[in-house]
Amino acid sequence: MRPDLEPMQTTRDLLQALLDSPPPAPEIGEVGRVAEVGDGIAIVTGLARALADEMLDFASGVRGIVFDLEPGRLGVVLLGPSENVTMGEDVRRTKRVVSVPVGPALLGRVVDALGRPRDGGGPVDAAIHAPVEAEAPDILHRRAVARPLATGLKAVDAAVPVGLGQRELIIGDRQTGKTSIAVDTILNQKRTGVICIYCAIGQRGDAVAKVIGAIRDGGMMAQSVIIAAGDEDAPGLAYIAPYASMSMAESFAATGRDVLVVMDDLTHHAHAYRELSLLLRRPPGREAFPGDIFYVHARLLERAGQFAEGAGSITALPVVETQAENLSAYIPTNLISITDGQIYLSPRLVRTNQFPAVDLGVSVSRVGGKAQARAFREVAGNLRVTLSQFEELEEFARFGTRLDDATRARLARGAAVRAALRQAERDPMSANEQLAVLVAAMEGMLDGMDEGRTRAAIHAIRTAIRADDGGLARTIAENDRLTDAARGRILDTARAAISAQAGDDGPDA
């Protein structure tokens, strides 16, 4: 054969091999059509094999979740702008559920409910994706809550302690400081190494920006993840946002890390789910609509807990907003029954300039007391009783009744303790500072002081304890009892600090 015929022979052999090879298997795909489009939802026909919670791809680039399975039609929740979806456009199955990126690549990032970046920092380089829905660990894979989660707030750590793995509800009317308590708790984790996930659900953009700024200014951004599903986003994103935050938390907990998840707030989450249910024409009831909202929140919060050895913990701080202090409304009662206690913020205390406005008469922690340090329990054991008796006497004294010396002393002590529980925003306190201030207040060292002098005295005590706490921090860390000698050292330090501060202010202070 001539050399110039070799390429032709090679081509002929290649074509013959292709003809002799078996034909490729046919690819079978399902293509549906958009029959209706609503505000955040779509009705799709032609996908008879689609499964519940399956992700669908629309020709316009929007994604959706199969929510309702009905004969001949699917109710789909859109995860993007509904105005981009047109009637008649193609819809294809993905044969997978909604997933989000998880892992260390998310730390320091601001993402949406699907894990897409919203901070301009480029794509999230995560090697693993996890479905947003997951079964809660069973009882055999859980452990009792036994370690404290320090919030840095005296009113919480002393009277309503939270443990790692606990679900503690933050509840109150608007503008009572619910988000501030959550953010201060996040800032206090800089001392503990706990990973923090803040999930904003239905919040305004400027409100989320303030939270991001506070976390960044507090030096916590590197160990935090911010998930933003704002009020301008599709209601479907608001619905899946807290589930996405739990999936991200579970990935960290699986490596032995402790994680704090703040869901701000589940009232907006319930409203988004109610909106989707109405648009999908689920039969509406009264206030208890939709009927499965309890299950929606229960299966979310049951994923938190203290897990088996080596599996870390997930602490959940869901936030819920009440209307006119109505704790007996449908959504608040649901969440109160699901969680392990609640921190109630009272508008009455806000009006008296008591911040944080924690109402210790209504607030409760059902399991956190077992995780609280012994020294705190010994000092704060009478805190609730002291404040409740003071409030009763205060109401009685308003009638102008003449009071004996013992009653006036109890009023002065209660006022001093209440003033000692005041704390500025973004100023979390270490455990030894809190304990020193509480010991000084309960022993009467702040009695009779006006607000300015009380604030200066507390600052002086904190400064002195930071300089030399006499081993108080070690006592708390090792969960030892507060001995009489240790209490005496705290009182001596506080007395010297107050005297020095009063001397610095001069005789006219």
Side-chain angles (χ1 to χ4, degrees):
M1 183 181 294
R2 297 203 311 264
D4 58 340
L5 294 179
E6 290 183 3
M8 185 179 298
Q9 184 68 28
T10 304
T11 303
R12 186 180 297 111
D13 293 342
L14 179 60
L15 291 174
Q16 188 62 42
L18 290 174
L19 292 173
D20 294 339
S21 63
E27 293 185 6
I28 301 175
E30 292 183 71
V31 180
R33 295 286 185 273
V34 177
E36 298 178 34
V37 182
D39 187 9
I41 62 101
I43 303 300
V44 175
T45 60
L47 294 179
R49 300 177 184 272
L51 305 176
D53 294 332
E54 183 178 351
M55 179 89 82
L56 302 180
D57 282 337
F58 289 75
S60 56
V62 176
R63 290 184 168 182
I65 309 172
V66 177
F67 236 47
D68 284 351
L69 295 172
E70 299 181 15
R73 66 196 294 272
L74 302 175
V76 179
V77 171
L78 300 178
L79 301 179
S82 55
E83 56 267 22
N84 293 351
V85 179
T86 58
M87 291 180 59
E89 76 173 65
D90 291 349
V91 185
R92 296 180 181 273
R93 293 181 59 192
T94 63
K95 299 182 181 179
R96 55 188 176 86
V97 296
V98 187
S99 301
V100 292
V102 297
L106 287 165
L107 292 176
R109 302 301 303 270
V110 181
V111 297
D112 69 0
L114 290 174
R116 299 173 298 196
R118 301 192 66 172
D119 54 4
V124 176
D125 188 18
I128 303 174
H129 284 65
V132 299
E133 292 274 9
E135 289 188 9
D138 56 42
I139 192 68
L140 295 178
H141 293 90
R142 294 178 182 267
R143 296 292 183 270
V145 173
R147 297 177 296 150
L149 175 83
T151 67
L153 302 171
K154 299 187 292 290
V156 177
D157 289 344
V160 200
V162 180
L164 288 170
Q166 185 171 341
R167 301 161 297 180
E168 185 76 4
L169 182 65
I170 302 176
I171 185 170
D173 285 9
R174 291 191 62 183
Q175 304 298 321
T176 52
K178 301 185 296 297
T179 300
S180 293
I181 283 187
V183 173
D184 286 345
T185 302
I186 290 175
L187 296 181
N188 197 54
Q189 305 317 307
K190 188 175 182 180
R191 306 183 180 111
T192 65
V194 173
I195 291 175
C196 301
I197 300 176
Y198 178 81
C199 181
I201 309 167
Q203 303 292 329
R204 301 190 317 273
D206 60 338
V208 179
K210 287 180 181 178
V211 171
I212 295 173
I215 293 175
R216 183 174 285 117
D217 294 342
M220 271 295 297
M221 199 64 192
Q223 65 187 74
S224 300
V225 182
I226 311 295
I227 303 173
D231 56 359
E232 73 282 358
D233 292 326
L237 291 175
Y239 170 70
I240 69 169
Y243 294 96
S245 67
M246 272 296 182
S247 294
M248 296 175 186
E250 286 168 344
S251 70
F252 291 113
T255 63
R257 302 294 299 270
D258 294 316
V259 189
L260 170 65
V261 181
V262 175
M263 303 170 191
D264 190 12
D265 65 32
L266 291 187
T267 302
H268 286 100
H269 182 253
H271 290 168
Y273 187 63
R274 176 175 294 180
E275 177 184 346
L276 294 172
S277 298
L278 288 170
L279 289 168
L280 290 171
R281 300 172 186 171
R282 295 180 178 178
R286 298 183 180 177
E287 189 195 13
F289 174 80
D292 61 339
I293 189 63
F294 182 93
Y295 172 67
V296 165
H297 285 156
R299 77 172 189 264
L300 167 68
L301 294 172
E302 282 173 359
R303 294 164 68 178
Q306 172 65 61
F307 306 122
E309 295 296 331
S313 69
I314 299 176
T315 307
L317 293 182
V319 179
V320 66
E321 180 182 306
T322 54
Q323 302 290 333
E325 304 182 62
N326 185 10
L327 289 174
S328 61
Y330 181 56
I331 300 302
T333 51
N334 276 354
L335 289 165
I336 286 172
S337 63
I338 292 169
T339 51
D340 304 314
Q342 69 273 353
I343 299 171
Y344 175 62
L345 305 180
S346 170
R348 175 180 57 84
L349 294 176
V350 171
R351 289 191 290 269
T352 61
N353 199 33
Q354 180 73 20
F355 290 100
V358 180
D359 188 335
L360 298 184
V362 182
S363 302
V364 64
S365 179
R366 299 186 183 94
V367 298
K370 297 179 181 178
Q372 190 179 32
R374 288 184 182 178
F376 261 108
R377 282 202 297 270
E378 293 168 358
V379 172
N382 295 326
L383 185 62
R384 287 177 181 271
V385 176
T386 301
L387 285 176
S388 63
Q389 291 177 348
F390 162 69
E391 290 176 356
E392 290 179 4
L393 288 174
E394 190 179 37
E395 291 289 336
F396 182 72
R398 287 176 182 172
F399 294 105
T401 308
R402 296 181 61 182
L403 305 173
D404 56 29
D405 293 341
T407 302
R408 282 198 295 269
R410 289 169 65 185
L411 281 170
R413 179 65 49 81
V417 172
R418 185 170 66 182
L421 292 179
R422 289 194 179 105
Q423 192 166 337
E425 287 186 353
R426 315 297 179 256
D427 185 26
M429 295 171 58
S430 62
N432 53 346
E433 292 175 28
Q434 294 184 49
L435 202 59
V437 171
L438 290 173
V439 167
M442 297 295 288
E443 293 293 334
M445 299 182 64
L446 305 180
D447 290 0
M449 293 185 179
D450 59 27
E451 185 175 348
R453 290 179 59 199
T454 300
R455 190 163 51 245
I458 290 175
H459 177 73
I461 293 172
R462 293 180 63 183
T463 302
I465 288 295
R466 280 197 297 265
D468 180 18
D469 71 348
L472 183 57
R474 185 174 63 254
T475 298
I476 297 171
E478 296 177 357
N479 200 22
D480 292 335
R481 298 190 62 182
L482 187 67
T483 63
D484 292 339
R487 186 186 291 267
R489 284 196 300 270
I490 294 173
L491 292 174
D492 291 342
T493 302
R495 191 176 294 109
I498 293 174
S499 299
Q501 182 270 329
D504 292 341
D505 288 344
D508 296 331

